Amino acid sequence: MKIAMVGSGYVGLVSGACFADFGHDVVCIDKDQSKIDRLHDGIMPIYEPGLDALVDANVKAGRLSFTTDLAEGIKGASAIFIAVGTPSRRGDGHADLSFVYAVAREVGESLSGDAVVVTKSTVPVGTGDEVERIIAESGCTHRVSVVSNPEFLREGAAIGDFKRPDRIVIGAEDDFGKEVMREVYRPLFLNEAPTLFTGRRSSELIKYAANAFLATKITFINEMADLCEKVGANVQDVSRGIGMDNRIGPKFLHAGPGYGGSCFPKDTLALLKTAEDYDSPVRIVEAVAKVNESRKRAMGRKVIEALGGIDAARGKKAALLGLTFKPNTDDMRDSPAIAVAQALTDAGVNVAAYDPEGMELAKPLMPKVVMCDDPYTAIEGADAVAIVTEWDAFRALDLDRVKELANAPVIVDLRNIYRPDDMRTKGFTYTSIGRP
Ligand code: NAD
């Protein structure tokens, strides 16, 4: 089966490579010429573990190719996936659907046969109806079914998530759409991946509801962590204690600096806008978005506190370890590190940072921060070291060396990766999240 993937970013490239690995014939399309050139040279435009080998193997097997030419790329494809970005629209927080609609128009104008057009991008309820309208308006005379198939992969574990998903959600309104999607995912059905067929609107909403729920879980435990600090309880014990209840479950209960990334912040915001448009408020999600936003900067204040408070902090040096919103990705979109760095530089603190993969994308977002080649260079002369992202590289720091290099043995662990007792025994002034 031939599949076209329009948009070759985190989702499009990973999905395209995985579909090719299943045995489909896949063309990944992107309008970014430099991205496609790099892919032709075997250079991945993103950092995602295992992706380069997967792409390489499938290109060599002749199942995966890349182009900027949409009309050529979709020729003969039974399924055309739209996997372009849907960022927050500037000013109002609605999902910006201009990229999705531009692709729909181009697809409608270029189609040379019957096809299923699948929205994999995260899009608000009703977008499928609009995509259908745009394609019909473009004068396309072929049979087209517009299907919603949201993606749930996590960056950093994207290939595993795509190949062994918790579930596949397919929102289709007709048999043609359902049949083609069954064919697309047949290799996963054989692996018994749970599949849910729904109407298109339900499928579109499932993605937002899932992300909003996860964002709520994180924000809930973060607020519990703040309460733990006040009452002398340990949030890790509280997490374990509630997570052992099967109705709650242990995942997404790790207190930290607030959620970030390319999905939760923009998707919670977009859901709020949909709810507003339909006059059906989602007040819990409203609170979650607000609490999370203020938390990120509060984490900067936590580091300032460790530097001796706002007056003492001016002119001192802080080292940030980790900048990406989570480990194993280079994605900096809405990372809490941005607000932490901003709060620190606003307070006149000199900031040095190290991240294994994220520094190139981080640089323009935090121009006053000095990027270092390794963690120890960042730590040299620092009055406080803040662990912002829990990369494995920071889990086993040479603590003697840290103490030797730093100006003061002060660590602010925003990911709770060290044990308070151990750190104090080693002579550090150590603060973390929600732990005595
Ligand atoms: P991305 O920014 O990494 O990639 C989007 C790509 O689309 C870019 O390479 C861009 O050049 C390309 N593009 C834009 N307009 C185009 C056009 N007209 N023709 C061809 N290519 C075009 O975005 P992403 O992170 O892959 O996200 C894509 C969608 O998937 C979003 O809606 C996002 O919310 C959703 N999603 C993302 C993740 C994630 O972890 N990143 C997970 C699930 C869902």
Side-chain angles (χ1 to χ4, degrees):
M1 174 181 224
K2 181 172 171 185
I3 292 176
M5 187 65 64
V6 188
S8 306
Y10 286 88
V11 166
L13 186 56
V14 170
S15 309
C18 288
F19 280 141
D21 211 43
F22 293 161
H24 294 310
D25 179 12
V26 180
V27 181
C28 282
I29 301 159
D30 205 288
K31 65 173 183 183
D32 182 341
Q33 182 73 53
S34 69
K35 204 171 253 191
I36 296 299
D37 288 346
R38 271 179 287 161
L39 283 165
H40 279 142
D41 291 341
I43 302 165
M44 295 304 105
I46 54 167
Y47 174 74
E48 181 62 43
L51 185 61
D52 44 2
L54 189 74
V55 167
D56 184 53
N58 284 284
V59 168
K60 284 197 175 122
R63 289 189 298 262
L64 180 62
S65 60
F66 308 102
T67 182
T68 52
D69 185 343
L70 184 138
E72 191 55 36
I74 67 169
K75 214 174 259 172
S78 310
I80 300 162
F81 282 80
I82 303 178
V84 296
T86 49
S88 287
R89 196 162 65 190
R90 252 187 221 167
D92 67 3
H94 275 276
D96 180 351
L97 296 172
S98 55
F99 302 108
V100 171
Y101 293 155
V103 173
R105 206 161 299 120
E106 214 180 328
V107 167
E109 287 163 359
S110 320
L111 263 182
S112 56
D114 297 349
V116 172
V117 174
V118 191
T119 313
K120 199 162 240 336
S121 299
T122 301
V123 295
V125 170
T127 304
D129 304 354
E130 186 63 13
V131 167
E132 198 168 77
R133 199 186 58 75
I134 291 170
I135 293 175
E137 260 185 20
S138 68
C140 168
T141 52
H142 302 285
R143 179 165 62 143
V144 174
S145 173
V146 175
V147 167
S148 157
N149 171 222
E151 182 50 56
F152 300 99
L153 63 76
R154 295 163 302 167
E155 286 173 19
I159 295 168
D161 283 351
F162 194 89
K163 290 191 163 182
R164 289 175 296 279
D166 287 346
R167 81 299 208 186
I168 299 162
V169 175
I170 296 168
E173 298 293 331
D174 55 46
D175 289 341
F176 176 42
K178 281 182 206 157
E179 266 163 40
V180 169
M181 292 308 283
R182 267 197 202 101
E183 202 52 41
V184 166
Y185 280 106
R186 191 201 295 280
L188 284 184
F189 296 158
L190 296 176
N191 287 351
E192 294 179 351
T195 306
L196 179 67
F197 280 93
T198 69
R200 207 163 52 199
R201 287 185 161 238
S202 302
S203 167
E204 288 168 338
L205 190 54
I206 285 168
K207 175 67 191 177
Y208 284 100
N211 275 357
F213 194 84
L214 293 171
T216 303
K217 222 173 162 186
I218 294 172
T219 307
F220 179 85
I221 203 64
N222 282 342
E223 286 206 312
M224 285 301 126
D226 291 348
L227 186 57
C228 282
E229 286 178 16
K230 294 276 159 64
V231 301
N234 183 327
V235 74
Q236 282 180 323
D237 292 337
V238 173
S239 285
R240 260 180 235 123
I242 62 174
M244 285 160 100
D245 185 329
N246 282 331
R247 293 169 302 177
I248 296 172
K251 295 196 175 149
F252 272 72
L253 289 177
H254 299 289
Y259 61 77
S262 66
C263 292
F264 289 176
K266 84 167 169 65
D267 292 348
T268 42
L269 223 61
L271 179 62
L272 290 180
K273 292 297 159 184
T274 301
E276 224 174 271
D277 286 351
Y278 285 83
D279 197 18
S280 179
V282 283
R283 294 193 190 90
I284 292 176
V285 185
E286 244 167 68
V288 165
K290 226 182 241 166
V291 169
N292 191 68
E293 209 36 53
S294 53
R295 183 173 191 81
K296 294 185 196 174
R297 199 168 163 91
M299 293 300 113
R301 291 198 295 276
K302 206 173 170 86
V303 181
I304 290 170
E305 210 50 50
L307 287 166
I310 193 83
D311 293 330
R314 185 164 294 278
K316 283 191 175 170
K317 176 180 172 181
L320 300 185
L321 302 188
L323 297 172
T324 51
F325 78 100
K326 66 172 176 182
N328 298 324
T329 180
D330 59 352
D331 203 336
M332 278 299 300
R333 289 178 279 188
D334 269 315
S335 172
I338 301 169
V340 173
Q342 189 67 56
L344 287 168
T345 50
D346 284 352
V349 176
N350 302 313
V351 183
Y354 169 74
D355 186 282
E357 296 293 338
M359 293 196 293
E360 202 182 314
L361 293 173
K363 233 181 212 156
L365 299 170
M366 38 184 84
K368 288 189 178 159
V369 172
V370 178
M371 301 293 166
C372 301
D373 290 338
D374 64 86
Y376 300 102
T377 314
I379 288 165
E380 215 172 330
D383 299 284
V385 176
I387 299 168
V388 187
T389 316
E390 69 277 32
W391 285 90
D392 276 345
F394 307 141
R395 288 180 187 275
L397 287 171
D398 179 344
L399 294 171
D400 292 330
R401 202 171 156 200
V402 171
K403 234 163 103 183
E404 219 176 273
L405 288 171
N407 195 36
V410 176
I411 292 191
V412 183
D413 180 357
L414 300 180
R415 299 289 182 170
N416 289 351
I417 61 178
Y418 286 99
R419 291 149 83 111
D421 288 347
D422 293 353
M423 297 305 276
R424 275 168 213 140
T425 311
K426 285 203 178 315
F428 284 96
T429 304
Y430 175 83
T431 41
S432 56
I433 303 284
R435 300 187 301 176

